[in-house]
């Protein structure tokens, strides 16, 4: 642990980076996957389980927490760490993505955005200053700037307008954040699927000398190749001595390919959401437990896994739970999925340290390509 926020680059292998983000509440080993704890909970999981799987940090969502239970109430109750019984680092997003995607009635100006809650229609205003204030009330360790995330595809003029607005908001967020010992505010690179706009955004944010940088507005429906092209353009423009966070990504394959381009941090609802819908991530690829082929299969998901959900329960039982809509099915498959994601990150970190990332990434990909074990 460190009394100040810092990033230490420990090893590189090609563009892949192995590092550590240190702050008073703990150290985050990178590349890192952050389980998503949208409303103060990683769905269907106990926080002790999440920690035991190897997570150093989780993500909280400013938009959802400001609506319920409310930022000021959260502060009175001791902040998000105390509220959720997670004493380790927490990153909060700015709420901007949810404002843009969930609020059907909203008005965007240079000052900020006014919108109505998707829960009860109550009116709210979100400005860069208010976003940082809320994240401070939540007592998060890494706070994100408010930005505008443009849905793709979109005209260049619209992408450029949103990118420039996001840069102005980054300046205001930096001023509102001020100096908070042991904490950090990250800027967010925007620019859609236009490489020169991504480069311009990255350079402008780098000039602000922030403590970390995120790449936003990707994995929003565009092909993976477009996302990777944008990372190829963006990552070289970001400071090598600061952490790089790819927001909302992604699949295990997305993670492997993004690490190869220099990304350090990831978050995504995919492993938890998939677990609630009967889908398991394994070293053999995705396994759909809803399929009838598993109904009489006494074998586990993965006999070599050290996660009890994957190793100790039969596919037949998991299939039964999923088809019966039993809560335990979602719990076990989410447990498996988060375990798989954290083991993948551990594998990636070890491979970078050994100078064998490309070879290990190929082996992992070949395992997915071979597919699941044959039906009985």
């Amino acid at each position: 642990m460190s009394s100040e926020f810092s990033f230490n680059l420990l090893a590189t292998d090609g563009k892949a980076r192995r590092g550590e983000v240190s702050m008073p509440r703990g150290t985050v080993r990178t590349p890192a996957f952050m389980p998503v704890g949208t409303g103060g909970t990683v769905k269907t999981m106990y926080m002790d389980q999440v920690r035991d799987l190897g997570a150093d940090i989780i993500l909280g969502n400013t938009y959802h927490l400001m609506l319920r239970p409310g930022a000021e109430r959260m502060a009175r109750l001791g902040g998000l760490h105390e509220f959720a019984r997670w004493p380790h680092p927490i990153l909060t997003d700015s709420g901007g993505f949810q404002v843009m995607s969930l609020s059907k009635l909203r008005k965007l100006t240079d000052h900020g955005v006014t919108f109505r809650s998707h829960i009860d229609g109550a009116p709210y205003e979100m400005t860069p200053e208010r976003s940082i204030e809320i994240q401070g009330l939540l007592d998060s360790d890494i706070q994100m700037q408010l930005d505008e995330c443009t849905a793709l595809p979109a005209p260049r003029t619209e992408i450029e307008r949103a990118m420039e607005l996001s840069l102005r908001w980054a300046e205001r967020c930096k001023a509102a954040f001020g100096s908070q010992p042991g904490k950090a505010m990250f800027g967010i690179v925007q620019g859609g699927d236009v490489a020169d706009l991504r480069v311009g955004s990255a350079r402008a944010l780098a000039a602000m000398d922030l403590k970390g940088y995120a790449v936003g507005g990707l994995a929003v429906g565009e092909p993976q190749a477009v996302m990777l092209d944008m990372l190829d353009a963006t990552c070289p423009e970001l400071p090598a001595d600061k952490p790089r966070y790819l927001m909302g990504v992604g699949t295990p394959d997305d993670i492997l390919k993004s690490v190869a381009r220099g990304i350090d941090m990831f978050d995504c609802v995919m492993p938890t959401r998939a677990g609630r819908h009967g889908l398991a991530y394994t070293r053999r690829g995705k396994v759909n437990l809803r399929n009838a082929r598993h109904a009489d299969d006494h074998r586990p998901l993965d006999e070599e896994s050290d996660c009890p959900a994957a190793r100790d329960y039969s596919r037949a039982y998991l299939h039964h739970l999923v088809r019966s809509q039993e809560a335990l099915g979602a719990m076990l498959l989410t447990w498996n999925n988060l375990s798989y994601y954290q083991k993948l990150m551990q594998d990636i970190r070890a491979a970078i340290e050994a100078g064998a990332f490309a070879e290990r990434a190929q082996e992992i990909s070949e395992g997915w390509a071979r597919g699941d074990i044959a039906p009985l």
Side-chain angles (χ1 to χ4, degrees):
M1 296 187 186
S2 170
S3 60
E4 295 296 330
F5 182 94
S6 64
F7 176 67
N8 185 23
L9 191 58
L10 302 177
T12 59
D13 185 6
K15 295 179 181 178
R17 295 145 50 96
R18 165 75 174 99
E20 289 182 343
V21 179
S22 298
M23 58 196 97
R25 285 192 172 101
T27 297
V28 178
R29 298 162 293 175
T30 64
F33 180 80
M34 300 181 284
V36 175
T38 301
T41 169
V42 177
K43 293 184 188 301
T44 77
M45 296 286 289
Y46 296 107
M47 287 300 189
D48 290 345
Q49 280 181 300
V50 176
R51 180 64 173 178
D52 289 345
L53 292 177
D56 296 328
I57 182 172
I58 62 171
L59 180 143
N61 185 270
T62 292
Y63 172 86
H64 289 284
L65 291 167
M66 70 176 279
L67 298 182
R68 288 188 305 207
E72 282 74 16
R73 175 177 289 152
M74 185 77 72
R76 292 194 300 271
L77 293 170
L80 184 54
H81 299 83
E82 179 71 18
F83 194 59
R85 292 190 68 251
W86 178 267
H88 317 291
I90 293 177
L91 180 149
T92 47
D93 64 14
S94 70
F97 178 81
Q98 285 73 27
V99 167
M100 307 302 170
S101 62
L102 294 180
S103 303
K104 295 180 181 178
L105 298 175
R106 62 180 183 270
K107 182 180 179 182
L108 183 70
T109 69
D110 202 77
H111 178 66
V113 57
T114 55
F115 63 96
R116 291 191 177 275
S117 164
H118 74 285
I119 298 171
D120 59 9
Y124 289 87
E125 180 182 57
M126 180 75 82
T127 65
E129 293 78 12
R130 178 58 176 160
S131 175
I132 294 298
E133 180 186 21
I134 293 170
Q135 293 179 77
L137 290 167
L138 298 176
D139 195 27
S140 67
D141 305 284
I142 300 176
Q143 302 171 22
M144 303 303 301
Q145 73 150 104
L146 185 66
D147 64 330
E148 182 185 356
C149 179
T150 306
L152 297 177
R156 179 190 171 99
T157 53
E158 176 65 11
I159 294 171
E160 187 168 14
R161 181 203 58 75
M163 182 271 284
E164 291 176 346
L165 176 63
S166 295
L167 288 175
R168 293 193 295 274
W169 282 0
E171 292 278 15
R172 288 167 57 188
C173 285
K174 178 183 178 181
F177 180 83
S179 176
Q180 298 186 32
K183 297 187 176 185
M185 190 209 86
F186 284 17
I188 303 176
V189 176
Q190 288 292 351
D193 54 0
V194 184
D196 65 286
L197 294 182
R198 288 278 175 183
V199 169
S201 177
R203 288 176 177 174
L205 287 170
M208 296 182 198
D209 192 26
L210 304 173
K211 292 185 178 179
Y213 299 89
V215 181
L218 295 174
V220 291
E222 81 283 358
Q224 185 194 62
V226 173
M227 179 187 79
L228 299 178
D229 285 346
M230 295 305 102
L231 293 181
D232 284 334
T234 302
C235 287
E237 304 297 335
L238 296 174
D241 61 346
K242 304 289 181 66
R244 303 167 181 167
Y245 162 33
L246 180 56
M247 304 182 75
V249 173
T251 68
D253 186 57
D254 288 338
I255 290 173
L256 274 186
K257 289 182 168 63
S258 300
V259 166
R261 286 159 172 83
I263 295 295
D264 306 303
M265 300 169 67
F266 302 87
D267 82 279
C268 190
V269 299
M270 203 166 289
T272 48
R273 180 175 291 166
R276 298 195 303 276
H277 290 86
L279 189 67
Y281 285 93
T282 78
R283 61 190 171 91
R284 301 184 180 104
K286 292 184 288 187
V287 178
N288 186 349
L289 271 303
R290 299 189 65 85
N291 289 346
R293 60 162 284 188
H294 303 292
D296 294 303
D297 197 330
H298 63 274
R299 297 170 297 181
L301 266 177
D302 186 350
E303 70 286 351
E304 294 183 9
S305 174
D306 59 5
C307 175
R311 184 193 62 221
D312 297 343
Y313 294 85
S314 72
R315 291 167 179 244
Y317 184 57
L318 295 172
H319 170 79
H320 159 70
L321 294 175
V322 170
R323 293 298 294 267
S324 303
Q325 298 183 352
E326 290 286 350
L328 183 59
M331 295 167 66
L332 289 173
L333 292 181
T334 301
W335 190 9
N336 167 80
N337 289 349
L338 287 178
S339 173
Y340 179 75
Y341 267 65
Q342 294 300 342
K343 294 299 182 186
L344 176 66
M345 304 316 294
Q346 293 173 18
D347 205 349
I348 288 170
R349 292 192 294 266
I352 295 171
E353 289 176 356
F357 173 71
E359 296 86 346
R360 184 61 186 135
Q362 182 175 347
E363 291 173 359
I364 293 170
S365 297
E366 289 172 351
W368 298 331
R370 283 192 293 271
D372 194 20
I373 53 178
L376 286 175

